[in-house]
Amino acid sequence: ILNVEQSPQSLHVQEGDSTNFTCSFPSSNFYALHWYRWETAKSPEALFVMTLNGDEKKKGRISATLNTKEGYSYLYIKGSQPEDSATYLCASLKNGNTGNQFYFGTGTSLTVIP
Amino acid sequence: IAGITQAPTSQILAAGRRMTLRCTQDMRHNAMYWYRQDLGLGLRLIHYSNTAGTTGKGEVPDGYSVSRANTDDFPLTLASAVPSQTSVYFCASSGGEGYTFGSGTRLTVV
């Protein structure tokens, strides 16, 4: 069983604050890491797909880094806005005997207080 | 059972056949979801259920139906499978501690 862990479970920040959270995953047979922004009852929005150790990706005020050797990824949000409130979900794609398999974390719920 | 169990793990299905993907959770979560995962499209919501006895349509509901007779089970049915329904299907539930996903069902419609 591959355990993908996200921390913290939930987070409340003031508008304008910068914040970050963590996705940890076993590094064996690593293939890719996906970050999603997810509002309940809607489809998760894909933010980043990261594959290489040391990868850094940026989309507007959101950025992410990847360390495949130690098995973690950080997601950063600069100058949080209320519209950033959502659950941020990471998923590790691993090569297995039956092909690639996604393993999801349980998400970090972010609330940005105006 | 710990968490969410999906069955089958994978299936090859002839077009036109009926198929039910099973999803069972043992965490007593009220909300459950079905997603399909396609390369380049991310996760797309098919149907959801906020509580036993209620269901709702997501982003891509056509060709799929769900039922929620009790808290634990949330089966997804393809009434007449088509090749465009070839995908990986994930069942998920949510409770106070966050979201939990099943390990997925890889479905190939030929």
Side-chain angles (χ1 to χ4, degrees):
Chain A
I1 297 175
L2 183 148
N3 292 319
V4 177
E5 297 180 352
Q6 291 187 242
S7 63
Q9 179 180 315
S10 64
L11 193 58
H12 290 73
V13 300
Q14 293 290 330
E15 181 176 355
D17 287 351
S18 295
T19 187
N20 66 85
F21 24 90
T22 307
C23 173
S24 301
F25 54 90
S27 54
S28 61
N29 296 328
F30 174 82
Y31 188 77
L33 187 87
H34 292 230
W35 277 104
Y36 294 88
R37 179 181 179 280
W38 191 17
E39 294 179 60
T40 306
K42 296 183 181 178
S43 295
E45 171 196 356
L47 291 174
F48 305 112
V49 179
M50 309 176 78
T51 57
L52 298 176
N53 185 47
D55 254 357
E56 291 189 30
K57 299 237 174 158
K58 187 174 181 180
K59 185 176 182 179
R61 293 179 291 99
I62 304 175
S63 60
T65 61
L66 179 67
N67 184 321
T68 61
K69 293 182 179 179
E70 297 184 33
Y72 64 84
S73 175
Y74 293 138
L75 189 80
Y76 301 90
I77 301 178
K78 183 178 179 182
S80 302
Q81 299 297 308
E83 58 265 29
D84 295 329
S85 297
T87 294
Y88 291 84
L89 196 67
C90 72
S92 176
L93 185 61
K94 175 176 174 174
N95 276 321
N97 292 332
T98 57
N100 291 338
Q101 180 69 52
F102 270 104
Y103 297 88
F104 290 92
T106 53
T108 293
S109 175
L110 174 67
T111 302
V112 181
I113 303 165
Chain B
I1 298 175
I4 291 185
T5 300
Q6 287 187 236
T9 303
S10 65
Q11 180 75 45
I12 298 174
L13 185 68
R17 298 295 295 269
R18 180 185 179 90
M19 173 80 188
T20 295
L21 309 185
R22 299 185 298 279
C23 175
T24 300
Q25 55 119 346
D26 64 352
M27 298 167 287
R28 309 301 294 173
H29 285 170
N30 282 324
M32 297 187 74
Y33 314 88
W34 273 106
Y35 292 87
R36 58 179 288 173
Q37 166 84 28
D38 301 291
L39 284 176
L41 297 174
L43 284 169
R44 292 184 292 169
L45 181 66
I46 305 170
H47 286 285
Y48 66 93
S49 169
N50 287 329
T51 190
T54 68
T55 62
K57 293 182 179 180
E59 184 181 353
V60 287
D62 294 342
Y64 305 94
S65 63
V66 291
S67 62
R68 188 87 184 278
N70 56 63
T71 298
D72 297 346
D73 300 301
F74 191 43
L76 176 75
T77 298
L78 288 67
S80 179
V82 295
S84 62
Q85 292 177 310
T86 294
S87 187
V88 181
Y89 292 85
F90 289 96
C91 178
S93 69
S94 64
E97 69 278 17
Y99 296 93
T100 302
F101 284 84
S103 56
T105 294
R106 188 179 298 273
L107 180 66
T108 303
V109 182
V110 297

